[in-house]
Amino acid sequence: MRFKQLHTSSLCLLPNRTRIHAQSATPPRRNTSDFFKSPTTKSLPQPRTKKVTDSDIVKCNIAITTHMRNGQCDLALRLFNSMPRKTTVSYNTMISGYLSNGSFKLAHQLFDEMPLKDLVTCNIMISGYIKNKNLLAARQLFDEMPVKDVVSWNAILSGYAQNGLVDEARRVFHLMPEKNEISWNGILAAYVQNGRIEEARRLFESKGRWPVVSWNCLMSGYLKKKRLEEARQIFDRMPVRDAVSWNTMITCYAQIGRMEEARKLFEKSPIRDVFTWTAMVSGYIQNGQLHDARRIFDEMPEKNVISWNAMIAGYVQSKNMNLAGELFEAMPCRNVSSWNTMITGYAQSGDIARARNLFDRMPHRDCISWAAIIAGYAQNGDSEEALRMFIEMKRDGERLNRSAFTCVLSICADIAAFELGKQIHGRVVKAGYEFGCYVGNALLAMYCRCGSIDEAYNVFKRIEDKDVVSWNTIIIGYARHGFGEEALKHFESMKRACIQPDEVTMVGVLSACSHTGLVERGRYYFNSMSQDYGIVANSKHYTCMIDLLGRAGRLDDAQNLMRSMPFEPDAATWGALLGASRIHGNTLLGEKAAEMIFALEPWNSGMYVLLSNLYASSGRWVDVRKMRSKMRDTGVNKVPGYSWVEVQNNIHTFSVGDSNHAESDGIYAFLEELDLRMKRDGYVSATKLVLHDVEEEEKQHMLKCHSEKLAVAYGIMKIPSGRPVRVFKNLRVCEDCHTAIKHIAKIVGRLIILRDPNRFHHFKDGVCNCGDYW
C-alpha cells in the first residue's frame, strides 16, 4: 500500500486538542534583531544562525530512540524540547517511547499536542490504547482515520482478540481490504487463546499455506484442551518443524508422565537446544526418575540456569540435600531462584542453620527469599525468630508478599498472638490482600485459633471467592468454639453455595455435633457422607462419632461402632473411649482402652494422666501410684502443663505454682482475694481431681495454683475492662479450673475465653458456652 501523509485538516472528526508545547514542526521565522538592541547603539551586527539540516534531525531522532530504549524518558524529552525543528518522526518516536516505557498519559498528551499526525502516529496510538485496556478509544480513533493500512486493521483485530471479543475480531478480519500473514495468525490465535479450537481448525483448513508459527499455535491449542492425540496429528502433518514444535510436544508428554513417548521424540529431534534438554530433565524429575534426569543433565552439551535449577529442585524434592548442595556449589551461574530453592530445601529438612547461612550469603534477595526463611523458622518451631525476620523484611524495604503474610499469620495462630495478628491484619489491608482467598484463609484461621470467632466471621464474609478451605475453617472454628448450631448452619450454606464438602468438612461437622451433644444429627451426617458426597469414612470420622456417643453416655453404642470399623482402631480412637470412660466413671472400660493405647503408643503421657484421673476420682490411690511407677519405668515423662496470656504484644507464660513471674506476688494476692469471693459465691474445690493422696487443705492449695488460674488472674489485672481476657493452655482444662473460671467471670464481670487442645470455652456471667459438656 502506498504511504499517504495525513494533513491535520483531514482529521477534522477528531476532538479539538489543545497544544501544550510551544514548539511546532516548522516554526515561523523570527526577527532576532530586537534581542540585540542597546540604549547606546542603534544596532549591532546580527549573529549568523546555524542551519538545521535533515541529517541533524535524524541524529536527534536516533538519540531519542536510544534514550527511550534505556528507559531515560527525561533525557529524551530534554533533547526533544531542544530541537529547533521537529518532524512527524520526532513526535512518533517520543510517543512510541513513552508507550514502551509505560507512560501512557505522557504519550497521550503529546499525541494531543502534535500539529501534524500521519498514519504511523494513529497506528501507534491505537496500540497504546489497546495496551492500556481502552478498547473503546482505540476503536473510536480507528473509525475516525480517513486512511487505514494493514497495520491499523491488525492492531484493532489484536485488541479484540486480547480482550476475548472473538466475534468482533472475526468481523474485523472479514472486513479487512487487505490481509497479511499477521492478520491470519491474529485471528487464528484469537480462536485458540479463547478455547474455540474447532473454529481455529476450520480456519486453518480453509487456507493452504501456513507458517510454522501458525502450526505451533494450533497444536498448542489442542494441548491446552488436553486433546493430545489431535495435537500429535498436527505435529506429524507439519511440513516444517522448528525448535518450538519439538519442545512443545516433548514437554507435554513429559508433563503427563508419558516419558517413553517424550524420549522417542527427543531422540528423533534434529533440533536440540537447551530448552529441549531441560524439558527432558524436568520431565524425568516430575515423574520421580531422578537417575534418568541426572543422566540427561550430565549429557547436556550446554546448560543454562534453568537446567541447573531444575536438577537441584529435583534433589530438594526428594530430600537429597547433599547432592543438591554439591550441584549448587558447582553452578557456574546462579539466580535468586537457585538460592531460594536451597534455602527452602534446608529449612524443610530441619537444617535451619544452613538455610540461614545461605540466606545471609545471598547477593540479592526477593520477597520469596524472605518468605522461605520465615517459613523455615516457623516450621522448625522458632516462632520468635520467624517474627523477627518478618520485621526485618519490612525494614529491608522488601514488599511483603502473600506467602510472608500467610506464614506470619499462621505463627500468630500457633502461639495465639492475637494483638500482633490484628496489627498484621492492618498491613494485609494496606497491601490489598484481604479479599483474596489465600491470605484471607490465613486471617480467618488466625482469628479462629486466637479466640475471636466474631472477627473470624467478619473476615469470612469479606473473602470474595471462598473455596472449600474457607468454609472448612469457619465450620471447624465455630465447632471448636462450642457453637455447634452455627457450624451446622454454615455447613448448609456451603452446600447451597455449591461447594462440595470433603473429608475435612465432615470432621468439622461431626466435631460440632460432638461438642454440642447432637447425637442424632451426628448419626445422620455420618451416614450421609458416603450416600450424598461419596466420602469414605476414615479413622478421624469414626473417632468423632465414638467421642460423640461416649460423651453422651452411650458407651455400648460407642463400642459397637468401634467393632464395626473397617480398620483397626488407632490410639486416638481408643483415647476418645478412654475420655468418655473418665467422664462417666467407667473404670473397667477405661482400663481396657488405656491398655490398647499403651500397646500402640507407650510414650503417650496424656493417656497415663487420663487413667490416673479416673483412678483418683474413684479413690484408688494405689493404682494412681502404680501408674506413676509405670511411667517412670517406661521412661515416659508427663508433659508439663502451662498457660499463657498476651498483654500489650507480650506473651506471659505460667506453669503450676509458678513464682518466676516478675509480678507473682501481686498475682497470688489477687487470686487469694478472688478465692474468698468465689467461695462466698458458692465455689467448692474439686479436690478429688488432685492426683496425690494428701490432706484436703493441701489439695485445695494445689488446685489454686493451676497455670490457667494464674494466667486468668494476670489477664484480668492487666487487660483493660471491656475487652475479653484470652488465655491459652497446652493441656486439657481441668474440671476444677473450669468451675472456678465460671465464678471468676461472674465476679469480675468479664468475658474470659480459654483455649485448650480440644476446644474453646467462653465464660460469661457464671456460665460457659460448652454447657459443662466437654
Side-chain angles (χ1 to χ4, degrees):
M1 180 176 183
R2 192 176 169 189
F3 178 82
K4 180 178 180 182
Q5 191 177 39
L6 304 179
H7 193 272
T8 49
S9 61
S10 63
L11 289 172
C12 58
L13 293 176
L14 289 172
N16 291 329
R17 297 180 172 92
T18 306
R19 289 171 56 187
I20 297 173
H21 290 262
Q23 304 284 1
S24 64
T26 53
R29 215 180 252 181
R30 299 175 62 189
N31 186 355
T32 58
S33 62
D34 293 338
F35 290 106
F36 298 95
K37 287 183 180 178
S38 168
T40 57
T41 57
K42 292 183 179 180
S43 65
L44 290 173
Q46 296 182 10
R48 297 180 62 183
T49 305
K50 183 181 178 181
K51 185 179 179 182
V52 179
T53 65
D54 290 344
S55 175
D56 293 331
I57 295 171
V58 170
K59 287 178 182 177
C60 285
N61 291 342
I62 292 172
I64 289 170
T65 301
T66 302
H67 287 320
M68 287 297 192
R69 283 177 180 166
N70 294 327
Q72 299 167 320
C73 298
D74 291 342
L75 288 177
L77 179 61
R78 198 174 304 146
L79 179 57
F80 177 79
N81 285 335
S82 71
M83 292 175 69
R85 182 162 63 89
K86 303 176 181 69
T87 64
T88 305
V89 174
S90 310
Y91 277 93
N92 290 346
T93 304
M94 283 294 297
I95 292 169
S96 180
Y98 277 140
L99 291 173
S100 63
N101 282 282
S103 300
F104 176 75
K105 287 184 179 179
L106 293 175
H108 193 276
Q109 180 182 355
L110 200 57
F111 177 77
D112 285 345
E113 297 172 18
M114 193 173 174
L116 186 66
K117 301 172 178 67
D118 65 3
L119 183 61
V120 174
T121 317
C122 295
N123 287 343
I124 290 170
M125 274 311 297
I126 287 174
S127 298
Y129 281 129
I130 290 167
K131 188 176 180 182
N132 283 271
K133 309 296 182 186
N134 194 343
L135 194 55
L136 188 64
R139 183 57 191 255
Q140 182 181 349
L141 178 57
F142 176 83
D143 290 340
E144 291 169 351
M145 290 170 63
V147 177
K148 306 173 182 72
D149 63 2
V150 71
V151 175
S152 321
W153 287 93
N154 285 343
I156 203 69
L157 186 153
S158 174
Y160 283 126
Q162 289 170 20
N163 287 274
L165 302 171
V166 183
D167 293 334
E168 287 295 326
R170 181 172 56 193
R171 274 191 282 274
V172 169
F173 179 77
H174 288 312
L175 289 171
M176 289 179 72
E178 177 189 354
K179 301 177 181 71
N180 62 10
E181 202 169 83
I182 295 173
S183 317
W184 285 92
N185 287 337
I187 191 64
L188 180 69
Y191 286 136
V192 169
Q193 289 166 7
N194 290 278
R196 294 164 70 160
I197 193 67
E198 300 305 330
E199 290 169 275
R201 182 64 178 258
R202 285 196 294 271
L203 176 75
F204 195 84
E205 300 297 348
S206 71
K207 184 173 176 287
R209 296 177 61 185
W210 288 88
V212 67
V213 66
S214 306
W215 286 89
N216 289 341
C217 177
L218 184 63
M219 180 176 67
S220 67
Y222 278 112
L223 291 175
K224 286 177 184 176
K225 288 282 187 179
K226 303 190 184 304
R227 293 163 66 172
L228 179 58
E229 302 311 319
E230 288 159 295
R232 180 58 190 266
Q233 290 172 9
I234 297 292
F235 177 81
D236 291 338
R237 282 179 51 198
M238 291 177 71
V240 178
R241 303 183 187 103
D242 62 6
V244 174
S245 319
W246 289 96
N247 291 348
T248 301
M249 281 307 302
I250 290 169
T251 301
C252 182
Y253 278 128
Q255 285 177 344
I256 63 173
R258 291 169 63 170
M259 289 307 301
E260 186 59 26
E261 287 96 329
R263 183 190 60 78
K264 288 177 182 177
L265 278 183
F266 176 76
E267 291 173 352
K268 285 182 183 178
S269 176
I271 312 167
R272 291 186 191 170
D273 59 14
V274 67
F275 299 103
T276 321
W277 288 87
T278 303
M280 287 299 293
V281 170
S282 298
Y284 279 125
I285 288 170
Q286 288 171 13
N287 292 279
Q289 298 170 264
L290 273 178
H291 178 75
D292 290 316
R294 183 58 187 264
R295 176 178 54 80
I296 295 291
F297 178 81
D298 289 338
E299 291 174 5
M300 288 180 72
E302 176 193 356
K303 303 178 182 76
N304 62 12
V305 69
I306 299 172
S307 321
W308 285 91
N309 285 350
M311 197 66 237
I312 289 172
Y315 284 130
V316 167
Q317 289 164 15
S318 66
K319 303 192 184 307
N320 193 334
M321 290 308 298
N322 289 332
L323 288 177
E326 287 176 12
L327 275 185
F328 179 77
E329 295 300 331
M331 279 184 81
C333 53
R334 297 175 188 144
N335 62 10
V336 69
S337 180
S338 319
W339 293 85
N340 291 346
T341 300
M342 289 300 297
I343 289 168
T344 302
Y346 280 128
Q348 289 178 347
S349 65
D351 196 345
I352 193 64
R354 282 195 181 181
R356 180 58 184 270
N357 178 264
L358 280 183
F359 180 82
D360 291 339
R361 284 170 49 198
M362 286 183 77
H364 170 70
R365 304 182 187 112
D366 62 8
C367 58
I368 298 172
S369 319
W370 284 96
I373 196 67
I374 291 168
Y377 278 116
Q379 290 161 8
N380 286 275
D382 194 343
S383 300
E384 185 177 339
E385 187 63 17
L387 292 174
R388 197 186 71 77
M389 293 302 291
F390 178 77
I391 294 166
E392 281 294 314
M393 179 182 181
K394 187 77 172 84
R395 287 178 184 160
D396 198 52
E398 189 62 56
R399 183 176 182 269
L400 299 171
N401 64 351
R402 293 186 305 166
S403 296
F405 276 124
T406 300
C407 182
V408 78
L409 285 168
S410 298
I411 295 168
C412 291
D414 289 339
I415 65 174
F418 175 72
E419 295 300 331
L420 179 59
K422 286 196 72 172
Q423 292 172 23
I424 293 168
H425 186 178
R427 292 190 177 182
V428 167
V429 172
K430 287 182 182 177
Y433 292 135
E434 182 186 24
F435 303 113
C437 200
Y438 189 67
V439 178
N441 288 343
L443 267 174
L444 176 58
M446 185 274 293
Y447 280 122
C448 283
R449 295 180 63 188
C450 286
S452 184
I453 193 66
D454 291 337
E455 291 187 71
Y457 178 62
N458 289 334
V459 170
F460 176 77
K461 287 190 298 183
R462 289 196 291 268
I463 297 175
E464 290 177 344
D465 295 313
K466 301 175 183 67
D467 62 5
V468 68
V469 176
S470 316
W471 288 97
N472 288 351
T473 305
I474 196 67
I475 289 169
I476 293 171
Y478 273 119
R480 285 200 67 193
H481 279 264
F483 301 111
E485 291 290 351
E486 285 296 321
L488 298 180
K489 283 179 184 176
H490 276 79
F491 176 60
E492 296 301 327
S493 297
M494 176 184 183
K495 293 191 292 183
R496 286 194 295 272
C498 299
I499 302 294
Q500 180 73 12
D502 61 10
E503 295 178 354
V504 178
T505 317
M506 298 314 297
V507 169
V509 168
L510 295 176
S511 295
C513 295
S514 177
H515 286 306
T516 321
L518 302 173
V519 177
E520 294 309 318
R521 290 182 73 179
R523 280 181 180 274
Y524 166 77
Y525 286 124
F526 182 77
N527 293 328
S528 71
M529 284 171 51
S530 174
Q531 299 169 8
D532 296 344
Y533 316 116
I535 299 172
V536 178
N538 59 30
S539 62
K540 290 183 179 178
H541 301 118
Y542 276 99
T543 299
C544 285
M545 280 304 298
I546 290 166
D547 185 59
L548 169 60
L549 295 169
R551 285 177 187 275
R554 297 166 67 165
L555 297 176
D556 290 339
D557 290 339
Q559 291 181 81
N560 290 334
L561 181 61
M562 184 182 284
R563 293 188 194 102
S564 71
M565 288 169 57
F567 37 75
E568 289 298 315
D570 59 13
T573 310
W574 283 109
L577 198 60
L578 174 56
S581 302
R582 185 197 63 80
I583 292 170
H584 297 286
N586 192 325
T587 307
L588 188 62
L589 181 58
E591 287 178 321
K592 177 184 175 183
E595 184 181 340
M596 299 302 299
I597 294 167
F598 297 152
L600 294 167
E601 295 181 356
W603 60 89
N604 191 330
S605 64
M607 295 302 111
Y608 285 92
V609 174
L610 263 180
L611 186 55
S612 295
N613 282 335
L614 185 54
Y615 287 142
S617 62
S618 303
R620 294 171 57 177
W621 298 109
V622 173
D623 291 317
V624 170
R625 284 192 289 272
K626 284 181 180 177
M627 290 304 299
R628 281 208 207 96
S629 298
K630 187 174 182 179
M631 289 179 69
R632 188 168 52 250
D633 294 343
T634 54
V636 176
N637 294 316
K638 181 180 179 294
V639 176
Y642 58 90
S643 302
W644 66 98
V645 61
E646 184 184 12
V647 177
Q648 296 179 345
N649 277 352
N650 291 315
I651 305 295
H652 298 261
T653 305
F654 301 88
S655 57
V656 61
D658 200 342
S659 59
N660 293 321
H661 195 277
E663 299 181 58
S664 59
D665 290 343
I667 295 169
Y668 281 107
F670 183 56
L671 267 179
E672 287 294 336
E673 178 190 336
L674 284 176
D675 190 55
L676 292 173
R677 296 172 68 184
M678 285 191 298
K679 286 177 178 176
R680 288 198 295 266
D681 194 51
Y683 163 70
V684 177
S685 298
T687 52
K688 64 177 183 178
L689 299 173
V690 177
L691 300 183
H692 297 276
D693 189 10
V694 295
E695 294 297 325
E696 194 74 11
E697 186 177 343
E698 179 66 16
K699 289 182 179 181
Q700 289 182 13
H701 178 72
M702 294 170 72
L703 289 171
K704 192 186 301 181
C705 300
H706 275 193
S707 65
E708 52 263 60
K709 288 177 183 169
L710 296 172
V712 166
Y714 188 69
I716 294 169
M717 290 168 60
K718 295 297 179 180
I719 296 172
S721 60
R723 294 173 58 187
V725 175
R726 292 181 173 87
V727 171
F728 304 87
K729 182 173 169 62
N730 69 322
L731 301 178
R732 184 180 182 275
V733 61
C734 81
E735 185 180 328
D736 179 74
C737 286
H738 189 271
T739 302
I741 296 171
K742 285 195 295 183
H743 286 279
I744 292 171
K746 178 182 177 183
I747 290 166
V748 299
R750 301 287 292 269
L751 170 62
I752 300 172
I753 300 173
L754 174 64
R755 187 189 86 181
D756 69 14
N758 296 326
R759 61 168 297 151
F760 283 87
H761 299 266
H762 292 241
F763 300 92
K764 188 176 182 182
D765 298 330
V767 296
C768 177
N769 72 324
C770 74
D772 299 336
Y773 189 89
W774 89 99

